[in-house]
Amino acid sequence: MNIYIAFLRGINVGGQKKIKMADLRTSLEKAGFKNVQTYIQSGNLVILSESTDLALLQKNIYNVILKGFGYEVPILILSARVLSEVLEAIPFKEAEEKNLYFAMLHEFPDEELAREFNALEFQNEDFELIGKCVYLNCRKGAGNAKLNNNLIERKLKVTATTRNLRTMKKMIELAS
C-alpha cells in the first residue's frame, strides 16, 4: 500500500462546501481507500491506496465528493517525501514559524506568468515561487496578507491550495 497526503481546496471555509470529516472518511473508505485519516476541518487527508497513479486517485476522490456531497473540489495529492522536500526548501530561514504558509500549485505555471509574479511586491510579505510551491512569509499574519490563495491563482492561472507550517508538519507526521 502507498501512503498519500491529499489537500482539498476550499471546503469548510467561510460556511461554504461544508463536509463533515467523519462522513468524508466513511465515503472514501467505501470507495476503496484504506485507513483514511483527516486533520482539522479544512480538508487534509492521509490515505492508503494500492494505486500509484496520482491523477486517478485525485479523480476518484473528486468523484466521491461530487457524488456524495455535491461539490466540485480541486484535490492535490502528494507523497510524504514530496511534502518533506517542500519543507526542506523553505527560503525564509529567519522567519517565525507562525508566519510561514505554502501555496501548493496543482501544476507548473507558465514561465512568463511566473516571471511577472516574481516581480510583485507586497508590504510585510515575502514570497518565493520554487517549483510548484509559493512560499509565503506573512510577517503581519496571514489574515492581513494581500498575497492570498485567490490572488496567487489569478496571477499564475493555476489552481493552488494553501496550508500553514503546522498543518504541513502534522500531515507528514500522520503519513509516517
Side-chain angles (χ1 to χ4, degrees):
M1 293 296 256
N2 301 295
I3 301 172
Y4 297 105
I5 297 166
F7 295 107
L8 285 60
R9 163 104 168 67
I11 67 162
N12 297 331
V13 178
Q16 298 201 343
K17 296 184 181 177
K18 289 188 173 197
I19 301 175
K20 291 181 181 176
M21 293 298 101
D23 295 341
L24 180 58
R25 280 192 304 273
T26 300
S27 296
L28 290 170
E29 287 175 352
K30 284 181 183 176
F33 292 98
K34 306 291 183 214
N35 297 359
V36 178
Q37 299 176 70
T38 58
Y39 175 66
I40 62 177
Q41 296 297 312
S42 57
N44 307 295
L45 309 169
V46 173
I47 57 172
L48 294 179
S49 175
E50 292 180 9
S51 178
T52 58
D53 184 339
L54 297 185
L56 179 62
L57 291 171
Q58 287 174 196
K59 182 178 178 184
N60 289 345
I61 294 172
Y62 176 90
N63 286 333
V64 166
I65 293 170
L66 183 60
K67 290 175 186 169
F69 303 95
Y71 304 129
E72 292 186 34
V73 175
I75 315 290
L76 178 64
I77 297 181
L78 304 167
S79 68
R81 180 187 55 77
V82 169
L83 204 56
S84 293
E85 290 171 359
V86 167
L87 294 186
E88 289 169 12
I90 296 172
F92 311 114
K93 302 303 181 198
E94 303 299 317
E96 290 185 52
E97 287 194 1
K98 68 179 183 172
N99 294 333
L100 292 176
Y101 289 80
F102 306 82
M104 295 164 290
L105 309 180
H106 289 229
E107 59 208 45
F108 288 102
D110 174 82
E111 286 185 33
E112 180 59 30
L113 292 176
R115 264 193 299 281
E116 291 171 10
F117 179 79
N118 285 329
L120 297 172
E121 291 185 21
F122 299 90
Q123 187 175 357
N124 296 311
E125 298 172 47
D126 303 311
F127 69 95
E128 191 167 332
L129 171 61
I130 300 174
K132 290 175 31 178
C133 183
V134 177
Y135 293 84
L136 303 162
N137 178 20
C138 305
R139 294 189 308 270
K140 297 289 184 182
N144 298 313
K146 300 288 185 215
L147 185 57
N148 59 32
N149 198 85
N150 291 335
L151 183 59
I152 290 167
E153 288 181 329
R154 276 197 311 275
K155 294 291 186 182
L156 294 175
K157 299 190 184 335
V158 297
T159 301
T161 188
T162 301
R163 298 295 190 274
N164 64 28
L165 180 60
R166 182 179 335 117
T167 297
M168 300 282 274
K169 287 180 173 181
K170 183 65 174 182
M171 296 312 295
I172 291 169
E173 176 188 322
L174 289 174
S176 297

